[in-house]
Amino acid sequence: MRKHITDLILSGEIMNYGKWLSTVVGELASSIDDLDNMSPIAMLPLAGIAANNGISASRLAIACDMELHEVEKQIDSLCELGFITNEDDTFNLTIKGEKTFNAFGRSMILYEKFQLGRRKEEVDRISKIINDVDEF
């Protein structure tokens, strides 16, 4: 399950990450300690770690399609805030990190379902217009 949610989070094809991540992090901050002190973009490495416990920073950079220096910056912040641990230069989620990933995953799935529903409504509307034109 973690891998599927992580793939969805890291795909980010239909969303503006900066705006959407900030919104979700803001919504979750009231229920997760220190989340408001974390950069929203840190959710990408957090998701990568969730799918690949024991991953190194260089592999995480590839998985998240981020520059290594940016991943290392986010990792430092995630460690400092208690979302992940660093053991022998590999990273794992803490209980707080797991809670954050799960909450973020639920938000991501709800967002995707909402977007798909909107897209379906648009396609249905266009289909009706085309069908109405064909009837003449």
Side-chain angles (χ1 to χ4, degrees), residues 45 49 54-64 66-73 75-76 86 88-91:
I49 293 166
I55 193 169
S56 67
S58 58
R59 286 189 51 225
L60 187 58
I62 293 167
C64 295
M66 294 173 69
E67 295 291 327
L68 180 57
H69 68 89
E70 181 61 28
V71 167
E72 288 171 338
K73 176 181 166 187
I75 285 172
D76 289 345
N86 179 354
D88 299 323
D89 290 327
T90 59
F91 304 95

mmCIF file of all heavy atoms in Angstrom, residues 45 49 54-64 66-73 75-76 86 88-91:
data_model
loop_
_atom_site.group_PDB
_atom_site.id
_atom_site.type_symbol
_atom_site.label_atom_id
_atom_site.label_comp_id
_atom_site.label_asym_id
_atom_site.label_seq_id
_atom_site.Cartn_x
_atom_site.Cartn_y
_atom_site.Cartn_z
ATOM 1 N N PRO A 45 10.408 13.629 -0.036
ATOM 2 C CA PRO A 45 11.336 12.659 0.548
ATOM 3 C C PRO A 45 10.683 11.787 1.624
ATOM 4 O O PRO A 45 10.996 10.599 1.732
ATOM 5 C CB PRO A 45 12.459 13.515 1.143
ATOM 6 C CG PRO A 45 12.381 14.804 0.433
ATOM 7 C CD PRO A 45 10.939 14.986 0.060
ATOM 8 N N ILE A 49 10.811 7.757 1.557
ATOM 9 C CA ILE A 49 11.299 6.946 2.676
ATOM 10 C C ILE A 49 10.223 5.946 3.098
ATOM 11 O O ILE A 49 10.524 4.796 3.409
ATOM 12 C CB ILE A 49 11.734 7.848 3.847
ATOM 13 C CG1 ILE A 49 12.976 8.659 3.445
ATOM 14 C CG2 ILE A 49 11.998 7.026 5.109
ATOM 15 C CD1 ILE A 49 13.300 9.811 4.370
ATOM 16 N N GLY A 54 14.984 2.343 4.874
ATOM 17 C CA GLY A 54 16.405 2.062 4.780
ATOM 18 C C GLY A 54 17.051 2.619 3.525
ATOM 19 O O GLY A 54 18.130 2.195 3.141
ATOM 20 N N ILE A 55 16.419 3.580 2.890
ATOM 21 C CA ILE A 55 16.935 4.163 1.650
ATOM 22 C C ILE A 55 18.035 5.180 1.962
ATOM 23 O O ILE A 55 18.013 5.837 3.000
ATOM 24 C CB ILE A 55 15.789 4.809 0.833
ATOM 25 C CG1 ILE A 55 16.242 5.137 -0.596
ATOM 26 C CG2 ILE A 55 15.232 6.031 1.535
ATOM 27 C CD1 ILE A 55 15.093 5.529 -1.513
ATOM 28 N N SER A 56 18.986 5.311 1.062
ATOM 29 C CA SER A 56 20.053 6.306 1.208
ATOM 30 C C SER A 56 19.603 7.622 0.572
ATOM 31 O O SER A 56 18.645 7.657 -0.215
ATOM 32 C CB SER A 56 21.319 5.818 0.504
ATOM 33 O OG SER A 56 21.116 5.767 -0.896
ATOM 34 N N ALA A 57 20.303 8.693 0.893
ATOM 35 C CA ALA A 57 19.963 10.010 0.348
ATOM 36 C C ALA A 57 20.103 10.028 -1.175
ATOM 37 O O ALA A 57 19.264 10.615 -1.870
ATOM 38 C CB ALA A 57 20.842 11.086 0.979
ATOM 39 N N SER A 58 21.133 9.403 -1.714
ATOM 40 C CA SER A 58 21.324 9.421 -3.172
ATOM 41 C C SER A 58 20.206 8.653 -3.882
ATOM 42 O O SER A 58 19.700 9.111 -4.917
ATOM 43 C CB SER A 58 22.695 8.872 -3.553
ATOM 44 O OG SER A 58 22.869 7.567 -3.072
ATOM 45 N N ARG A 59 19.807 7.520 -3.338
ATOM 46 C CA ARG A 59 18.690 6.781 -3.940
ATOM 47 C C ARG A 59 17.376 7.539 -3.769
ATOM 48 O O ARG A 59 16.516 7.516 -4.651
ATOM 49 C CB ARG A 59 18.584 5.386 -3.319
ATOM 50 C CG ARG A 59 19.684 4.446 -3.812
ATOM 51 C CD ARG A 59 19.484 3.005 -3.390
ATOM 52 N NE ARG A 59 18.163 2.513 -3.704
ATOM 53 C CZ ARG A 59 17.412 1.794 -2.859
ATOM 54 N NH1 ARG A 59 17.848 1.494 -1.653
ATOM 55 N NH2 ARG A 59 16.216 1.375 -3.216
ATOM 56 N N LEU A 60 17.232 8.214 -2.645
ATOM 57 C CA LEU A 60 16.031 9.000 -2.396
ATOM 58 C C LEU A 60 15.926 10.161 -3.383
ATOM 59 O O LEU A 60 14.845 10.455 -3.895
ATOM 60 C CB LEU A 60 16.031 9.509 -0.952
ATOM 61 C CG LEU A 60 14.777 10.202 -0.456
ATOM 62 C CD1 LEU A 60 13.558 9.296 -0.585
ATOM 63 C CD2 LEU A 60 14.969 10.617 0.994
ATOM 64 N N ALA A 61 17.040 10.798 -3.689
ATOM 65 C CA ALA A 61 17.042 11.894 -4.657
ATOM 66 C C ALA A 61 16.547 11.404 -6.012
ATOM 67 O O ALA A 61 15.750 12.086 -6.681
ATOM 68 C CB ALA A 61 18.439 12.495 -4.782
ATOM 69 N N ILE A 62 16.980 10.228 -6.412
ATOM 70 C CA ILE A 62 16.532 9.658 -7.685
ATOM 71 C C ILE A 62 15.036 9.341 -7.622
ATOM 72 O O ILE A 62 14.280 9.683 -8.539
ATOM 73 C CB ILE A 62 17.361 8.404 -8.034
ATOM 74 C CG1 ILE A 62 18.808 8.799 -8.324
ATOM 75 C CG2 ILE A 62 16.748 7.650 -9.213
ATOM 76 C CD1 ILE A 62 19.778 7.632 -8.375
ATOM 77 N N ALA A 63 14.601 8.706 -6.548
ATOM 78 C CA ALA A 63 13.192 8.326 -6.397
ATOM 79 C C ALA A 63 12.265 9.538 -6.421
ATOM 80 O O ALA A 63 11.156 9.475 -6.950
ATOM 81 C CB ALA A 63 12.989 7.541 -5.107
ATOM 82 N N CYS A 64 12.736 10.653 -5.841
ATOM 83 C CA CYS A 64 11.907 11.858 -5.743
ATOM 84 C C CYS A 64 12.132 12.831 -6.896
ATOM 85 O O CYS A 64 11.487 13.872 -6.953
ATOM 86 C CB CYS A 64 12.194 12.581 -4.427
ATOM 87 S SG CYS A 64 11.724 11.638 -2.973
ATOM 88 N N MET A 66 14.701 14.777 -7.378
ATOM 89 C CA MET A 66 15.163 16.014 -6.763
ATOM 90 C C MET A 66 16.684 16.018 -6.770
ATOM 91 O O MET A 66 17.310 14.960 -6.855
ATOM 92 C CB MET A 66 14.664 16.116 -5.311
ATOM 93 C CG MET A 66 13.171 16.261 -5.160
ATOM 94 S SD MET A 66 12.618 16.180 -3.421
ATOM 95 C CE MET A 66 13.284 17.697 -2.758
ATOM 96 N N GLU A 67 17.256 17.194 -6.673
ATOM 97 C CA GLU A 67 18.705 17.320 -6.548
ATOM 98 C C GLU A 67 19.123 16.784 -5.180
ATOM 99 O O GLU A 67 18.413 16.961 -4.185
ATOM 100 C CB GLU A 67 19.132 18.787 -6.677
ATOM 101 C CG GLU A 67 18.857 19.389 -8.045
ATOM 102 C CD GLU A 67 19.740 18.797 -9.128
ATOM 103 O OE1 GLU A 67 20.904 18.435 -8.834
ATOM 104 O OE2 GLU A 67 19.263 18.686 -10.276
ATOM 105 N N LEU A 68 20.281 16.149 -5.127
ATOM 106 C CA LEU A 68 20.765 15.548 -3.887
ATOM 107 C C LEU A 68 20.873 16.581 -2.773
ATOM 108 O O LEU A 68 20.450 16.330 -1.642
ATOM 109 C CB LEU A 68 22.121 14.863 -4.107
ATOM 110 C CG LEU A 68 22.746 14.192 -2.884
ATOM 111 C CD1 LEU A 68 21.819 13.150 -2.284
ATOM 112 C CD2 LEU A 68 24.090 13.580 -3.249
ATOM 113 N N HIS A 69 21.391 17.778 -3.073
ATOM 114 C CA HIS A 69 21.540 18.801 -2.023
ATOM 115 C C HIS A 69 20.186 19.223 -1.456
ATOM 116 O O HIS A 69 20.047 19.491 -0.265
ATOM 117 C CB HIS A 69 22.334 20.015 -2.522
ATOM 118 C CG HIS A 69 21.615 20.821 -3.563
ATOM 119 N ND1 HIS A 69 20.776 21.849 -3.254
ATOM 120 C CD2 HIS A 69 21.623 20.733 -4.915
ATOM 121 C CE1 HIS A 69 20.279 22.382 -4.358
ATOM 122 N NE2 HIS A 69 20.774 21.711 -5.386
ATOM 123 N N GLU A 70 19.141 19.236 -2.290
ATOM 124 C CA GLU A 70 17.807 19.601 -1.801
ATOM 125 C C GLU A 70 17.237 18.470 -0.935
ATOM 126 O O GLU A 70 16.642 18.721 0.117
ATOM 127 C CB GLU A 70 16.854 19.894 -2.963
ATOM 128 C CG GLU A 70 15.454 20.303 -2.530
ATOM 129 C CD GLU A 70 15.375 21.564 -1.705
ATOM 130 O OE1 GLU A 70 16.242 22.453 -1.840
ATOM 131 O OE2 GLU A 70 14.432 21.677 -0.895
ATOM 132 N N VAL A 71 17.442 17.227 -1.348
ATOM 133 C CA VAL A 71 16.992 16.087 -0.551
ATOM 134 C C VAL A 71 17.697 16.084 0.803
ATOM 135 O O VAL A 71 17.068 15.890 1.841
ATOM 136 C CB VAL A 71 17.223 14.751 -1.301
ATOM 137 C CG1 VAL A 71 17.058 13.559 -0.371
ATOM 138 C CG2 VAL A 71 16.262 14.638 -2.473
ATOM 139 N N GLU A 72 19.006 16.318 0.795
ATOM 140 C CA GLU A 72 19.761 16.339 2.055
ATOM 141 C C GLU A 72 19.258 17.438 2.978
ATOM 142 O O GLU A 72 19.148 17.240 4.192
ATOM 143 C CB GLU A 72 21.251 16.504 1.764
ATOM 144 C CG GLU A 72 21.860 15.246 1.157
ATOM 145 C CD GLU A 72 23.283 15.442 0.665
ATOM 146 O OE1 GLU A 72 23.691 16.600 0.400
ATOM 147 O OE2 GLU A 72 23.986 14.422 0.520
ATOM 148 N N LYS A 73 18.916 18.586 2.415
ATOM 149 C CA LYS A 73 18.365 19.697 3.212
ATOM 150 C C LYS A 73 17.037 19.282 3.849
ATOM 151 O O LYS A 73 16.797 19.521 5.039
ATOM 152 C CB LYS A 73 18.172 20.909 2.301
ATOM 153 C CG LYS A 73 17.523 22.099 2.950
ATOM 154 C CD LYS A 73 17.384 23.219 1.931
ATOM 155 C CE LYS A 73 16.448 24.284 2.413
ATOM 156 N NZ LYS A 73 16.166 25.292 1.382
ATOM 157 N N ILE A 75 15.978 16.167 4.355
ATOM 158 C CA ILE A 75 16.256 15.075 5.295
ATOM 159 C C ILE A 75 16.711 15.631 6.645
ATOM 160 O O ILE A 75 16.254 15.185 7.696
ATOM 161 C CB ILE A 75 17.318 14.113 4.719
ATOM 162 C CG1 ILE A 75 16.694 13.236 3.646
ATOM 163 C CG2 ILE A 75 17.947 13.271 5.813
ATOM 164 C CD1 ILE A 75 17.696 12.395 2.886
ATOM 165 N N ASP A 76 17.613 16.615 6.608
ATOM 166 C CA ASP A 76 18.080 17.229 7.858
ATOM 167 C C ASP A 76 16.906 17.786 8.659
ATOM 168 O O ASP A 76 16.811 17.586 9.873
ATOM 169 C CB ASP A 76 19.093 18.344 7.572
ATOM 170 C CG ASP A 76 20.429 17.826 7.083
ATOM 171 O OD1 ASP A 76 20.694 16.606 7.216
ATOM 172 O OD2 ASP A 76 21.212 18.638 6.540
ATOM 173 N N ASN A 86 17.957 8.606 11.120
ATOM 174 C CA ASN A 86 19.121 8.369 10.264
ATOM 175 C C ASN A 86 19.990 7.343 10.982
ATOM 176 O O ASN A 86 20.561 7.624 12.015
ATOM 177 C CB ASN A 86 19.891 9.667 10.056
ATOM 178 C CG ASN A 86 21.129 9.488 9.206
ATOM 179 O OD1 ASN A 86 21.505 8.380 8.842
ATOM 180 N ND2 ASN A 86 21.760 10.601 8.880
ATOM 181 N N ASP A 88 23.115 4.849 10.118
ATOM 182 C CA ASP A 88 24.134 4.434 9.160
ATOM 183 C C ASP A 88 23.859 4.977 7.762
ATOM 184 O O ASP A 88 23.966 4.266 6.764
ATOM 185 C CB ASP A 88 24.256 2.902 9.116
ATOM 186 C CG ASP A 88 24.670 2.323 10.454
ATOM 187 O OD1 ASP A 88 25.492 2.964 11.138
ATOM 188 O OD2 ASP A 88 24.163 1.247 10.813
ATOM 189 N N ASP A 89 23.482 6.242 7.690
ATOM 190 C CA ASP A 89 23.200 6.930 6.431
ATOM 191 C C ASP A 89 22.054 6.314 5.635
ATOM 192 O O ASP A 89 21.990 6.433 4.406
ATOM 193 C CB ASP A 89 24.453 7.050 5.571
ATOM 194 C CG ASP A 89 25.459 8.022 6.166
ATOM 195 O OD1 ASP A 89 25.018 9.014 6.797
ATOM 196 O OD2 ASP A 89 26.666 7.789 6.021
ATOM 197 N N THR A 90 21.148 5.652 6.311
ATOM 198 C CA THR A 90 19.890 5.226 5.702
ATOM 199 C C THR A 90 18.760 5.783 6.563
ATOM 200 O O THR A 90 18.940 6.052 7.746
ATOM 201 C CB THR A 90 19.768 3.693 5.586
ATOM 202 O OG1 THR A 90 19.858 3.115 6.887
ATOM 203 C CG2 THR A 90 20.849 3.118 4.684
ATOM 204 N N PHE A 91 17.613 5.962 5.957
ATOM 205 C CA PHE A 91 16.533 6.692 6.612
ATOM 206 C C PHE A 91 15.279 5.851 6.737
ATOM 207 O O PHE A 91 14.937 5.075 5.841
ATOM 208 C CB PHE A 91 16.255 7.978 5.829
ATOM 209 C CG PHE A 91 17.494 8.807 5.688
ATOM 210 C CD1 PHE A 91 18.289 8.717 4.545
ATOM 211 C CD2 PHE A 91 17.911 9.626 6.717
ATOM 212 C CE1 PHE A 91 19.455 9.451 4.431
ATOM 213 C CE2 PHE A 91 19.078 10.356 6.616
ATOM 214 C CZ PHE A 91 19.853 10.266 5.464
#
